[in-house]
Amino acid sequence: MRNSTRSDVDPFIVMDVMEAARRAEEAGRHIIHMEVGQPSTAAPAGARQALATAMESGSLGYTVALGIPELRARIAQLYGDWYDVDLDPSRVVVTSGSSGAFLLAFTALFDAGDKVGIGAPGYPSYRQILKAMSVEPVMLETAAENRYQPVPSDFVGKGLDGLMVASPANPSGTMLGKDDLGALIDAAQAENTAFISDEIYHGIEYEAKAVTALEHSDDVYVINSFSKYFSMTGWRVGWMVVPPEHVRRIERLAQNMFICAPHASQIAALGALDCKEELDANLQVYTRNRQLMIEGLPKAGFDRIAPPDGAFYVYADVSHITDDSRAFCAEILEKAGVAVTPGLDFDPDRGAGTLRFSYARSTADIEEGLRRLTEFMANR
Ligand SMILES: Cc1ncc(COP(=O)(O)O)c(C=O)c1O
């Protein structure tokens, strides 16, 4: 049968690495997982309990398209708690993960042929989803001295219809400070470029608090998720905050594209919002792991790294060691039994010389992974 050209997207390479690691495990090997970008912890107990109760008492049918009103209100309250931002719950849209939010946002904001700037390195699915919607991703090559975040001069004058940023970012873990984020929003708005802020790693920050784009402007799309800080990747629930005049448009799209985000997951998400203690305990583990990584990776020979501000990744420049990060990852998996992700996922041009290490797993795993990496590099 025929295929569309827009569906001709690249694979998500980290998924291929996960599959190679799974095959190695099936063959009896013990693998340390530094490739996966997800917590190994379960959804918080309060989330599971809320769902258990709801399952016994209700049918869990469709919800309204924008999400359960109590959940939208509780998410709005989070903006008061985290950033001192007074947010009208009617602007909150509950989605099927941030991935569902991207589909809604890109459909609401862009037409076929429009151009959307995304920083490289950056989360690979932005460009693949845009392409699948016949929107043109414009890769903005960010500089190490700008901590791999875009600056206005990277896009001003390029005629972009949209700009997508992430802070903390995947894979670099770097954050945009208040002034830098504000400068990007102002520059985008001056060019009539829609500004989308991916804030999925908020809550997982180490030295300074992450800033939301809503602290600077209401005329932005903000996307977030229960996947990372709330430890609920597989539940497929996230949210988006949109300008008031966009709500009805998004509602019409959501009704038709998704009907609603999974009801069960919305119930669990509402429970998760009251589990601060448990979630902060997870954060303690990431904090300890981050310290081990920024001390241990240079000792192992991966010394071109910057301490991440947030998320749970370290992005390493290995261009002095290899010009083929994919083959290098395969070698690390084979010889060290550690799965890591080649930078090609995040930066098609420069990623042959970079790797992403995830430290979302247990501290014991991180210690063992660093020990294996050190031994591997010493014998190479
Ligand atoms: C920057 C970024 N945005 C979005 C996502 C997708 O997350 P979700 O599970 O909310 O769809 C990820 C997943 O790793 C990510 O790293």
Side-chain angles (χ1 to χ4, degrees):
M1 202 189 292
R2 72 195 300 278
N3 291 124
S4 66
T5 47
R6 66 179 175 179
S7 62
D8 201 13
V9 301
D10 298 331
F12 197 172
I13 299 173
V14 67
M15 297 290 187
D16 293 346
V17 177
M18 283 164 76
E19 174 55 18
R22 191 198 60 76
R23 278 199 305 272
E25 281 168 335
E26 204 172 59
R29 292 198 62 198
H30 180 264
I31 303 297
I32 296 291
H33 291 276
M34 289 189 170
E35 84 285 29
V36 280
Q38 68 172 338
S40 57
T41 43
R48 287 177 275 135
Q49 189 52 56
L51 177 57
T53 308
M55 281 198 305
E56 296 311 319
S57 56
S59 65
L60 297 180
Y62 295 137
T63 70
V64 286
L66 294 176
I68 299 173
E70 297 89 307
L71 177 58
R72 295 171 70 202
R74 186 64 186 80
I75 291 170
Q77 193 190 319
L78 191 69
Y79 283 79
D81 298 345
W82 277 6
Y83 319 101
D84 211 14
V85 164
D86 185 13
L87 179 64
D88 179 351
S90 70
R91 293 176 55 196
V92 177
V93 181
V94 179
T95 59
S96 297
S98 69
S99 304
F102 297 146
L103 292 176
L104 289 169
F106 297 164
T107 312
L109 294 170
F110 309 122
D111 285 311
D114 280 358
K115 292 183 187 168
V116 177
I118 46 185
Y123 180 60
S125 301
Y126 302 147
R127 65 177 192 278
Q128 311 300 353
I129 298 172
L130 288 166
K131 182 168 185 282
M133 300 179 92
S134 300
V135 178
E136 186 188 333
V138 176
M139 303 306 285
L140 307 173
E141 197 162 288
T142 61
E145 55 273 24
N146 295 328
R147 310 192 64 249
Y148 294 118
Q149 289 283 359
V151 292
S153 58
D154 290 331
F155 69 89
V156 168
K158 288 201 160 113
L160 296 183
D161 300 289
L163 175 69
M164 173 106 213
V165 303
S167 167
N170 176 7
S172 64
T174 62
M175 293 197 316
L176 287 160
K178 201 173 181 132
D179 293 346
D180 292 337
L181 181 61
L184 286 171
I185 296 172
D186 290 344
Q189 289 176 346
E191 304 226 320
N192 199 19
T193 301
F195 190 88
I196 308 171
S197 180
D198 181 349
E199 304 185 352
I200 186 172
Y201 290 103
H202 280 216
I204 308 179
E205 57 237 4
Y206 303 104
E207 270 150 30
K209 263 187 59 56
V211 181
T212 174
L214 294 170
E215 287 175 57
H216 191 79
S217 171
D218 281 324
D219 202 22
V220 291
Y221 272 45
V222 164
I223 292 177
N224 207 321
S225 175
F226 287 91
S227 287
K228 309 292 174 164
Y229 171 72
F230 294 96
S231 190
M232 294 175 63
T233 47
W235 297 71
R236 312 311 304 134
V237 58
W239 73 89
M240 179 160 74
V241 181
V242 300
E245 66 279 12
H246 285 236
V247 174
R248 179 63 184 149
R249 178 174 296 267
I250 294 286
E251 184 176 30
R252 284 186 272 123
L253 287 169
Q255 288 167 341
N256 286 288
M257 289 172 120
F258 300 107
I259 300 187
C260 63
H263 191 160
S265 302
Q266 293 190 56
I267 301 271
L270 186 56
L273 283 158
D274 288 327
C275 296
K276 186 171 178 338
E277 211 173 299
E278 186 177 340
L279 297 169
D280 284 349
N282 294 347
L283 187 58
Q284 296 293 310
V285 175
Y286 303 142
T287 305
R288 172 85 187 112
N289 292 355
R290 170 183 179 267
Q291 198 55 37
L292 288 169
M293 292 292 270
I294 58 184
E295 285 165 14
L297 284 174
K299 284 190 195 145
F302 301 103
D303 52 358
R304 298 188 185 177
I305 59 168
D309 302 319
F312 31 55
Y313 309 113
V314 177
Y315 198 51
D317 177 354
V318 290
S319 56
H320 55 305
I321 308 175
T322 182
D323 59 5
D324 185 349
S325 57
R326 210 173 178 147
F328 191 42
C329 285
E331 187 187 341
I332 298 174
L333 180 64
E334 166 64 24
K335 296 195 177 140
V338 180
V340 300
T341 308
L344 286 168
D345 246 352
F346 313 101
D347 191 337
D349 291 330
R350 295 174 296 176
T354 56
L355 299 182
R356 187 194 73 174
F357 297 90
S358 166
Y359 54 87
R361 292 287 177 125
S362 71
T363 300
D365 272 14
I366 299 305
E367 283 168 339
E368 173 61 12
L370 285 168
R371 192 196 62 69
R372 292 186 190 184
L373 288 170
T374 308
E375 192 179 294
F376 163 76
M377 291 295 278
N379 295 321
R380 198 166 181 266

